[in-house]
Amino acid sequence: MKQEHEISGDGSVKIGGTDTITTPRLTNAALDDANPDSKVPPLSDVGSLPVFKYPFSFANKRVYAGGWSREVTIRELQIAKELAGVNMRLEAGGIRELHWHKAAEWSIMLYGGVRLTAIDAEGRSFVRDVFEGDLWYFPTGIPHSIQGLEPDGGEFLLVFDDGHFSEHETVLLSDIAAHIPREVMARNCGVEPKVLRKIFGQELFIFQAPVPGPLAEDQKKAAGTFGPSPCEFSFRPGEKSIVKKTKGGEARVVDSSTFKVSTTVAAAIVTVHPGGMRELHWHQNADEWQYYMNGKARMTVVGTGERARTMDFEAGDVGYIEKTLPHYIENTGDEDLRFLELFRSSRFEDLSLSEWLSHTPRELVMAHLNIDKATYDRIPREKLVVLPR
Ligand code: MN
Ligand code: MN
């Protein structure tokens, strides 16, 4: 990597043996070190592409007794039009209150366990416990709640199918209860107004409550006479996802072909071993919203009109690639790189550079790249997805 750059003792960098980059006199050294490809861009970078990285570390954290949350939307990352994300933590018993929203919600459990509740479009109840690695999806307008389980609650990433979404714009039970005239609320619930006098006067959003009881009991009570919903809002990717595995790692695709309810968000859960690389590719059908879960990576995005930029990523970072733009993701660390590729689409779609070149007349490709036949013949004939070291 970057043999063309020679770093001298004074911190200046020789490019191609002729020019030099001097170090800025005033700089944030910790950020520079975490972003080596911004500090010393590869010689192949050109022009200016809008920034396509936003670390959750920069996000505003809403802190409550019972948990916290922080979001990365189009307001934080301006090119992220199609999807927005929220990272949330609930302590044991902590509740993300009963609510719904205009966007659909896709989620992955990052740590611990939580209990989900919802009702389906026919009003039948859904109650499940989900744990690290599990997914869920709640369509537009479907009411739901999330509560941390013992022993230590849970942390998860929520992804919404609209970059303009904000967690501040959800319909909350506490908001409804606080702002419907008390006598109307009482009439609607079939009770005397005086029994509702302790209703809170403001939103709860996240609040602390006792840990929930046994799952089976909650399921039975919530199901009532309707019976439980036949609709599976949660999903365990280990069970029936399409996995593309190589020596370099794997890409586990979860879209509506297996996770039926997830009609507006498609995902690939990618692992790249040290030295491996998610091959050069693009997506025909949607922008890609990335979330880095482990390890270190670098990615170059090639834009139109002679623009290309390389940026570095690590756990907690969000990346974004506009539809059809070519990119690769290289593991630059010494541990497994794990990240999510998310799309506002019912299906995962990608095309790789190698499958393109290897299925185009040889002489045509040779003329473009100025390579000989032997070199052309070494290009992989199929999509490998994750290349080994
Ligand atoms: Mn929600
Ligand atoms: Mn991609």
Side-chain angles (χ1 to χ4, degrees):
M1 243 173 60
K2 293 200 232 93
Q3 300 89 336
E4 61 270 44
H5 295 111
E6 231 178 82
I7 301 178
S8 31
D10 65 356
S12 68
V13 181
K14 278 195 153 158
I15 303 172
T18 53
D19 214 347
T20 58
I21 308 180
T22 48
T23 305
R25 303 202 64 80
L26 304 176
T27 194
N28 183 324
L31 272 182
D32 284 346
D33 291 345
N35 296 277
D37 286 291
S38 295
K39 188 179 178 184
V40 182
L43 290 171
S44 45
D45 276 14
V46 63
S48 54
L49 269 186
V51 69
F52 49 83
K53 162 180 169 171
Y54 194 93
F56 262 106
S57 298
F58 287 175
N60 190 14
K61 199 181 265 166
R62 307 173 78 177
V63 182
Y64 300 82
W68 51 256
S69 75
R70 49 185 188 167
E71 65 181 6
V72 175
T73 71
I74 196 165
R75 289 165 287 276
E76 287 76 27
L77 181 57
Q78 288 185 12
I79 62 164
K81 290 183 292 292
E82 297 196 346
L83 298 161
V86 171
N87 174 210
M88 190 176 286
R89 177 74 161 92
L90 296 173
E91 313 305 337
I95 296 175
R96 170 65 178 100
E97 74 162 296
L98 286 157
H99 73 282
W100 69 85
H101 25 73
K102 274 198 275 185
E105 169 180 316
W106 182 99
S107 180
I108 183 166
M109 283 298 292
L110 302 173
Y111 165 78
V114 298
R115 179 161 303 169
L116 305 174
T117 79
I119 58 169
D120 68 17
E122 270 78 52
R124 293 164 300 192
S125 153
F126 170 87
V127 184
R128 286 284 184 290
D129 288 350
V130 288
F131 302 94
E132 192 174 328
D134 291 349
L135 312 181
W136 73 75
Y137 180 93
F138 292 126
T140 300
I142 289 292
H144 53 278
S145 70
I146 313 164
Q147 184 173 20
L149 296 172
E150 281 189 304
D152 191 30
E155 187 182 333
F156 41 90
L157 175 79
L158 302 162
V159 178
F160 300 89
D161 62 355
D162 176 5
H164 287 93
F165 175 84
S166 169
E167 58 175 351
H168 302 266
E169 292 160 14
T170 58
V171 181
L172 306 171
L173 175 60
S174 60
D175 244 359
I176 300 170
H179 303 296
I180 292 288
R182 193 57 44 86
E183 67 280 8
V184 174
M185 193 70 189
R187 181 179 172 193
N188 205 79
C189 295
V191 298
E192 290 297 317
K194 66 173 189 290
V195 304
L196 298 180
R197 67 183 184 279
K198 285 186 177 167
I199 280 180
F200 300 105
Q202 71 289 315
E203 68 163 50
L204 295 167
F205 194 79
I206 290 173
F207 65 104
Q208 187 63 52
V211 291
L215 175 64
E217 222 168 89
D218 264 7
Q219 285 174 324
K220 197 167 160 230
K221 279 187 277 184
T225 52
F226 285 5
S229 173
C231 188
E232 271 306 326
F233 292 112
S234 64
F235 188 82
R236 194 152 285 171
E239 280 167 10
K240 43 180 179 177
S241 39
I242 305 141
V243 186
K244 184 86 183 178
K245 215 180 173 101
T246 67
K247 275 188 191 149
E250 65 167 48
R252 192 173 286 272
V253 172
V254 181
D255 63 16
S256 63
S257 64
T258 49
F259 187 13
K260 302 281 181 216
V261 73
S262 186
T263 53
T264 65
V265 179
I269 304 163
V270 183
T271 302
V272 182
H273 300 318
M277 185 174 98
R278 171 80 171 93
E279 71 172 316
L280 195 45
H281 68 280
W282 64 97
H283 307 274
Q284 312 93 295
N285 60 337
D287 290 2
E288 173 175 341
W289 197 96
Q290 298 177 328
Y291 179 69
Y292 287 83
M293 298 190 288
N294 195 61
K296 285 183 190 302
R298 74 163 181 168
M299 170 167 74
T300 303
V301 176
V302 179
T304 52
E306 279 213 295
R307 293 180 301 160
R309 178 152 188 211
T310 307
M311 298 192 82
D312 304 284
F313 295 85
E314 56 193 291
D317 288 348
V318 174
Y320 197 87
I321 306 113
E322 288 176 289
K323 180 158 60 179
T324 77
L325 296 186
H327 55 283
Y328 67 87
I329 301 100
E330 185 182 30
N331 184 341
T332 52
D334 48 18
E335 53 183 314
D336 273 3
L337 169 69
R338 289 191 70 232
F339 68 97
L340 301 171
E341 303 177 6
L342 295 160
F343 307 89
R344 187 169 72 188
S345 173
S346 62
R347 291 299 171 103
F348 174 87
E349 279 185 19
D350 71 349
L351 279 171
S352 80
L353 186 82
S354 59
E355 68 182 339
W356 179 32
L357 299 187
S358 61
H359 294 88
T360 295
R362 181 203 279 156
E363 281 65 29
L364 186 62
V365 176
M366 286 165 56
H368 280 80
L369 297 181
N370 197 21
I371 55 173
D372 60 18
K373 180 176 168 300
T375 306
Y376 175 85
D377 286 342
R378 294 194 58 171
I379 297 172
R381 307 288 301 172
E382 57 170 323
K383 184 155 59 185
L384 292 170
V385 184
V386 182
L387 307 179
R389 182 188 290 275

